[in-house]
Amino acid sequence: MAMASTQSESYFVFMNYDPEYQRLRADRTKRGAYELDLYLSKKHNEVLASTLEPGSYKKTLSLVIVDGFSVEITEDQANVLRSANGVRVVEKNQELA
């Protein structure tokens, strides 16, 4: 059991409803898309930085279609993120065969 908690795996993290995300997503201009990317990247980085040890995780991407991101973390870190402010769901990325 201890072995599993030290091995990093890919997880998807989905955030709670955010009116600012909805507002930026509704802006279909190029500038709106750029601002949305910046906003989400910063927001997701802040959730990780305020919740997990620096250097203990690797964010692989921020998702724009849904307010979420992919991160390589341990099972223990996933459990910590589940209780972070603003986080709705943390799910292990299931590889499709």
Side-chain angles (χ1 to χ4, degrees):
M1 200 66 151
M3 197 65 184
S5 66
T6 58
Q7 183 182 345
S8 286
E9 295 181 87
S10 183
Y11 284 81
F12 285 112
V13 179
F14 299 103
M15 307 301 290
N16 285 331
Y17 175 80
D18 177 358
E20 181 64 4
Y21 164 74
Q22 298 297 334
R23 184 187 72 75
L24 288 169
R25 192 162 173 234
D27 182 348
R28 298 292 185 196
T29 65
K30 242 186 172 140
R31 179 164 179 238
Y34 176 74
E35 285 182 4
L36 178 60
D37 282 348
L38 276 182
Y39 174 75
L40 289 179
S41 189
K42 181 175 187 275
K43 174 181 166 179
H44 299 159
N45 288 341
E46 286 173 357
V47 167
L48 289 166
S50 67
T51 310
L52 304 176
E53 286 291 316
S56 70
Y57 59 87
K58 179 183 168 195
K59 186 179 90 172
T60 50
L61 79 143
S62 281
L63 304 167
V64 177
I65 300 298
V66 295
D67 183 0
F69 57 93
S70 175
V71 63
E72 290 178 14
I73 51 175
T74 66
E75 190 177 334
D76 288 349
Q77 289 174 307
N79 289 330
V80 170
L81 265 178
R82 283 184 178 100
S83 60
N85 190 27
V87 171
R88 181 167 50 95
V89 178
V90 177
E91 285 293 328
K92 190 182 291 187
N93 181 6
Q94 302 295 331
E95 294 295 322
L96 298 176

